[in-house]
Amino acid sequence: MSRSQLTIQQAARLLDAGLISCKQLVAYCRTLAVAGEEIWGLHAYNTLVDLDQMLDQAGESDRRRHYGETMSILDGIPMSFKSNIAVRTEPLTAGSRILGYHHDINKASMIAPPVGYDADTVKILLRDKGGILMGTTSLDEFGMGSLGTNTAVGVDGKARPTKNPLPLLSFLDEMLANAIPKDASSAEEQLVATLQLPSDVILQCHQNALQLYEQSHMGGFAFSAGGSSSGSAASVAHGSALLSLGTDTGGSVRLPAAWCGLVGLKPSYGLLSRHGIVSYASSFDTVGILARSVDCACIALDVLAQRGEYSRDSTFSSYGPNNTSSSQVAVAELSTSNNPLNGVKVGIPEAFSIRECPSDISENWSKAAQILEDYGAEIVQVSAESISPGLIQKALAAYYVLVSAEASSNLSRYDGFRYGVKANTTATTDLNKDYTPLEQQYASTRSEGFGKEVARRILCGTYVLSSDQFHTHYEAAATLRACLAEELHSTLKERVDLLLIPTVLSPPPHIEYSGTSMDSTVMFANDIMTTPPSLAGLPSVSVPMTSTVEDAKFPSSMQLIGGRLREDVILKAAHVLLKQSGSYGGP
Ligand code: GLN
């Protein structure tokens, strides 16, 4: 059991057995977070909770455990939240200057005050179940992006793209293994010894790991962590959080999970409450889960999907209190059965076999199908008659038309008066002469407050909703969405239980060279595989698998798409895939 494989269950077991205290676990995770920011320059966090505050919370958790009053398996587990999800004690900025974001991890000079309320999902995890907040994570502004590079610039004028920690992790593991006392012999003893290392030793291990990497690799390690939940993925992959919530509108949890070697779950639209989420495209937005294992994702899903008192989001439809298809039940069944996927029909949709799919991804796709078949699933080829290639080819364009339209409407509230930080000055240009002072104020606030990509989406969205373009653009995209959703829903109802496709067709790009200057349409191409289930509101999970390419730095991830509210089926299959695909070079 290595440091980077610490799951929620393992941590809970060590805590329950008294082998570590919650204070030790939290101090370890926070040191990792600090090392990630200061030594590796990961830019995973937008804000980090003060150490003393964190230790107070951890002390409370230790006390509850001592008196047998733990709130759940998540009690004392360090977790992080994307910065577009409301956490009472932190500013809610969605990474945008218009909401007061400017980079200052310790919040000393933050303009935005703490938001003062919790999103439903945060309330469940932190207040009801005892999770410990590490901090809020970086993202592409308002969730718009695929690479973690559309981050607002800091006060120093520098952009802060999130970096993918995977390439450094094996070096870090080696350093930590060398640092622990030699008398720790069993895997568990070694893990406990690692978690108890003094912080200066952990920081030094990060320094050494970076040096070792740089000596053996030219060009640095600045690979994209994927976006837009870039910091959430980086924090879980690095190990400073054991769980993170992100948001997934068209792939923002699944893509970073795929590139950072994690399990990323986008639940059915409406399954988890969106109360307290900064809206991007409301008919697509979902809260998603980033975790190290399928079991970790199931634990989180099961607590988050309970309706209870949380019914403030009108699209929130839960499993219901006594629902037997709860995902944890489904995964628990696996251990009692030799052919856990007996009776499960897995569809391989021809429509997704696009020309651009590289051979190693195709090989991995076949390998994944074989694994599922070995565990009892029936593999079914889904022909072009059931899911049309024509619709899949146009899905990405339809997605971007629709989300831009919804974003232009959602973001209209940031005018500096109702919401948002008002610009101090109104720029005086010749153009301004034609506008009233109020219009000039709106213009300066919005052009100063929004980043380039966000402004582009607002302009595109306004354009496709204008009376001239509405029929040819917005309506055409909405019709395509309806047809695609109909085909996916009926295939998943009548022919198969789940669909198996890759999550993404390429490894993460090197962001120092390409990221910040990358053409938006090149960036959009990363979402080809993730947007179709989003258009249909279906649940989808990304699972990392060993790449078939020798010495690959990154996993080659597969996506499982299920029928509406059939998270149990996809998670069961995901569990088999993750278990059988072996080590993939990451956590
Ligand atoms: N990359 C997609 C976009 O920019 C998906 C974003 C998301 O899921 N939040 O819209």
Side-chain angles (χ1 to χ4, degrees):
M1 196 185 338
S2 86
R3 168 210 54 80
S4 47
Q5 283 156 353
L6 184 68
T7 62
I8 294 173
Q9 292 92 324
Q10 286 163 344
R13 219 187 59 71
L14 297 180
L15 290 168
D16 284 343
L19 293 171
I20 52 163
S21 68
C22 181
K23 279 190 165 178
Q24 285 170 329
L25 177 64
V26 161
Y28 173 80
C29 287
R30 195 176 189 283
T31 308
L32 239 51
V34 170
E37 297 305 307
E38 290 177 5
I39 300 174
W40 287 1
L42 286 185
H43 304 144
Y45 286 92
N46 274 351
T47 62
L48 204 52
V49 175
D50 183 66
L51 178 62
D52 290 338
Q53 218 174 310
M54 235 180 245
L55 290 177
D56 281 351
Q57 302 272 320
E60 282 293 303
S61 175
D62 280 331
R63 192 198 56 77
R64 287 194 292 272
R65 203 169 299 271
H66 179 77
Y67 289 107
E69 292 167 0
T70 45
M71 297 161 102
S72 74
I73 186 170
L74 294 169
D75 201 327
I77 299 295
M79 47 185 78
S80 64
F81 297 88
K82 189 176 179 177
S83 300
N84 60 352
I85 305 180
V87 179
R88 197 170 66 201
T89 51
E90 307 299 303
L92 177 63
T93 64
S96 181
R97 279 197 300 192
I98 206 144
L99 282 173
Y101 173 74
H102 90 131
H103 189 78
D104 179 7
I105 200 160
N106 296 316
K107 294 178 278 182
S109 59
M110 209 71 170
I111 311 170
V115 66
Y117 74 98
D118 287 318
D120 281 348
T121 45
V122 171
K123 183 161 188 298
I124 296 174
L125 293 177
L126 295 184
R127 322 291 167 212
D128 299 356
K129 302 294 171 189
I132 307 274
L133 175 68
M134 294 301 295
T136 59
T137 55
S138 47
L139 72 166
D140 289 299
E141 188 180 354
F142 281 107
M144 297 178 192
S146 310
L147 302 174
T149 51
N150 293 339
T151 49
V153 289
V155 265
D156 54 3
K158 284 194 199 139
R160 288 190 150 69
T162 314
K163 293 184 195 163
N164 191 324
L166 272 198
L168 293 183
L169 291 183
S170 52
F171 295 94
L172 178 64
D173 262 347
E174 198 183 316
M175 294 299 139
L176 292 170
N178 290 337
I180 59 173
K182 297 289 162 272
D183 55 353
S185 55
S186 75
E188 188 169 88
E189 279 166 6
Q190 286 172 11
L191 181 61
V192 170
T194 309
L195 295 172
Q196 292 172 340
L197 281 172
S199 59
D200 56 336
V201 174
I202 299 173
L203 294 173
Q204 191 58 51
C205 286
H206 278 76
Q207 193 72 58
N208 297 348
L210 180 62
Q211 248 167 31
L212 215 64
Y213 179 89
E214 282 174 347
Q215 277 161 16
S216 49
H217 295 78
M218 296 296 285
F221 86 108
F223 292 93
S224 167
S228 62
S229 310
S230 52
S232 285
S235 68
V236 179
H238 180 204
S240 59
L242 303 194
L243 178 76
S244 191
L245 290 190
T247 55
D248 190 314
T249 304
S252 281
V253 158
R254 288 161 287 160
L255 180 61
W259 280 344
C260 288
L262 301 171
V263 172
L265 173 69
K266 177 201 104 67
S268 304
Y269 177 75
L271 177 59
L272 304 188
S273 170
R274 288 183 294 126
H275 171 84
I277 307 303
V278 178
S279 301
Y280 161 13
S282 311
S283 77
F284 292 79
D285 291 343
T286 60
V287 175
I289 297 165
L290 289 132
R292 295 238 175 97
S293 72
V294 175
D295 297 271
C296 293
C298 289
I299 291 173
L301 179 69
D302 282 335
V303 300
L304 292 170
Q306 303 304 318
R307 182 177 281 268
E309 68 197 83
Y310 309 102
S311 308
R312 285 173 288 192
D313 167 3
S314 58
T315 56
F316 179 28
S317 51
S318 75
Y319 286 124
N322 298 317
N323 196 307
T324 46
S325 73
S326 136
S327 55
Q328 250 183 293
V329 175
V331 175
E333 279 167 12
L334 288 173
S335 48
T336 57
S337 161
N338 285 338
N339 285 326
L341 300 179
N342 253 351
V344 175
K345 287 190 186 157
V346 175
I348 312 290
E350 186 191 314
F352 284 85
S353 293
I354 56 173
R355 221 180 11 193
E356 294 80 1
C357 185
S359 59
D360 58 300
I361 304 278
S362 300
E363 273 168 39
N364 208 58
W365 195 350
S366 312
K367 192 173 96 188
Q370 187 60 54
I371 293 175
L372 297 179
E373 193 171 21
D374 290 347
Y375 282 79
E378 182 190 336
I379 303 298
V380 178
Q381 299 301 327
V382 176
S383 71
E385 271 150 45
S386 301
I387 301 177
S388 352
L391 288 181
I392 297 299
Q393 275 157 22
K394 292 185 194 126
L396 188 67
Y399 166 82
Y400 274 102
V401 167
L402 296 170
V403 293
S404 301
E406 292 189 28
S408 72
S409 160
N410 272 328
L411 273 57
S412 65
R413 73 190 70 166
Y414 305 111
D415 57 11
F417 294 97
R418 287 176 299 164
Y419 284 101
V421 179
K422 194 161 99 192
N424 281 334
T425 51
T426 45
T428 40
T429 65
D430 281 351
L431 265 180
N432 281 351
K433 287 198 308 261
D434 301 333
Y435 298 107
T436 64
L438 179 64
E439 285 167 341
Q440 289 177 28
Q441 180 69 58
Y442 285 154
S444 354
T445 295
R446 287 169 67 83
S447 39
E448 269 178 35
F450 292 130
K452 262 199 202 132
E453 183 61 27
V454 175
R456 194 177 295 136
R457 305 266 178 120
I458 294 174
L459 293 174
C460 290
T462 311
Y463 178 77
V464 300
L465 287 174
S466 64
S467 54
D468 281 356
Q469 313 303 326
F470 184 77
H471 297 297
T472 50
H473 289 69
Y474 183 83
E475 213 169 58
T479 307
L480 187 133
R481 179 184 197 182
C483 297
L484 177 65
E486 169 56 30
E487 287 194 357
L488 290 175
H489 281 275
S490 55
T491 304
L492 284 158
K493 210 163 171 189
E494 287 150 24
R495 305 217 44 220
V496 296
D497 297 296
L498 61 92
L499 295 167
L500 175 71
I501 60 169
T503 312
V504 57
L505 302 180
S506 55
H510 201 288
I511 44 179
E512 239 151 53
Y513 305 135
S514 58
T516 36
S517 59
M518 195 185 266
D519 182 333
S520 290
T521 46
V522 175
M523 181 189 79
F524 295 168
N526 293 302
D527 307 331
I528 287 180
M529 295 284 152
T530 51
T531 45
S534 301
L535 283 157
L538 294 172
S540 170
V541 60
S542 177
V543 190
M545 293 181 63
T546 322
S547 167
T548 50
V549 178
E550 218 178 300
D551 290 337
K553 275 199 200 70
F554 299 97
S556 173
S557 297
M558 293 301 297
Q559 198 185 172
L560 301 156
I561 304 164
R564 183 164 160 72
L565 297 178
R566 292 319 304 267
E567 279 75 4
D568 58 330
V569 180
I570 56 170
L571 287 166
K572 199 154 109 168
H575 190 267
V576 170
L577 267 193
L578 190 60
K579 260 206 129 107
Q580 300 315 315
S581 70
S583 139
Y584 45 88

